[in-house]
Amino acid sequence: MESRKNLAGCAGGLAGLALTFTGAAGAYWPLVVAGLYGAGALLAPPERAPVPHFPDAAAQLDVLRGDFGRLREYLASVELPPAAAGRLTELDGLLAALTGHEEWASDPDSFHVLTRAVRQDVPEAVDTYLRARWWTRFTPGSEPPERLLEHQLGLLYDELAGVAEVLRDAVERQRESHTYVLEERGGAVKRRRPPTP
């Protein structure tokens, strides 16, 4: 009822009725009214689909924090060898520090790496270890799965440490830029101030 085409058609139909009451439409007034309604409906611009709404970076980070909480619950429920558990503790501390920052809006690539680590890489590495540990009972002499888990967790730590470095550099650049702006504003005020006699 409230579409653009219907409203334009109704306006055309009203114009047809106006022509009818003035006598210009004659005996064919129903065709004139219907024709003007149809012309208005055809000439009206089409309805535009609404622009899709995507969550902003802050909302995405809140969801990721919830996912990280679930990952921590999962990791607390599994039993890992001491060396891998130590690596995982280091990785957990780094992930906690990274998810605590709000600066991810400026670097979506780093946010993707963080998201992939929380939702895919860490749980997959631990789950693969747990499944491989069971199978090594049937294949004695093969490489222990905990060695591969330690290696995978080390690689993930290095990758996320690189992400942390990118984030630190971005924050440092923002801080330096803000300092520069403040210094420029202070210099402009000094230049505008008339000299005291």
Side-chain angles (χ1 to χ4, degrees):
M1 290 296 290
E2 296 178 1
S3 71
R4 292 180 185 181
K5 291 191 172 292
N6 187 42
L7 293 175
C10 288
L14 287 175
L17 286 175
L19 290 175
T20 299
F21 291 130
T22 59
Y28 299 105
W29 69 270
L31 293 175
V32 171
V33 171
L36 288 175
Y37 175 87
L42 289 174
L43 294 176
E47 294 291 324
R48 289 182 299 181
V51 177
H53 173 71
F54 298 107
D56 61 359
Q60 291 179 21
L61 186 56
D62 287 341
V63 171
L64 182 62
R65 285 176 180 146
D67 293 343
F68 180 53
R70 285 190 292 282
L71 175 64
R72 280 180 149 177
E73 291 172 8
Y74 166 70
L75 295 176
S77 69
V78 299
E79 185 180 331
L80 298 176
R87 276 286 196 189
L88 195 58
T89 301
E90 294 174 355
L91 187 60
D92 178 75
L94 183 56
L95 284 169
L98 289 172
T99 55
H101 282 278
E102 303 288 337
E103 287 84 6
W104 294 107
S106 61
D107 192 2
D109 293 334
S110 295
F111 185 75
H112 173 71
V113 171
L114 179 62
T115 302
R116 188 181 60 211
V118 169
R119 294 179 180 159
Q120 179 181 347
D121 293 336
V122 174
E124 186 175 315
V126 172
D127 183 60
T128 302
Y129 160 74
L130 294 173
R131 284 185 281 125
R133 183 180 65 173
W134 187 82
W135 283 105
T136 53
R137 292 184 225 167
F138 303 111
T139 56
S142 61
E143 183 179 9
E146 55 267 16
R147 194 172 300 153
L148 181 60
L149 176 62
E150 291 171 36
H151 181 63
Q152 289 173 341
L153 294 176
L155 292 173
L156 284 169
Y157 184 88
D158 292 343
E159 182 180 32
L160 291 171
V163 168
E165 186 69 22
V166 168
L167 180 63
R168 187 192 65 76
D169 289 346
V171 170
E172 185 65 26
R173 279 194 306 274
Q174 183 180 10
R175 190 174 64 86
E176 289 173 359
S177 175
H178 186 63
T179 302
Y180 175 76
V181 168
L182 292 175
E183 289 172 351
E184 284 296 308
R185 282 196 328 220
V189 169
K190 288 178 186 176
R191 288 190 294 273
R192 280 184 288 178
R193 186 180 300 150
T196 56

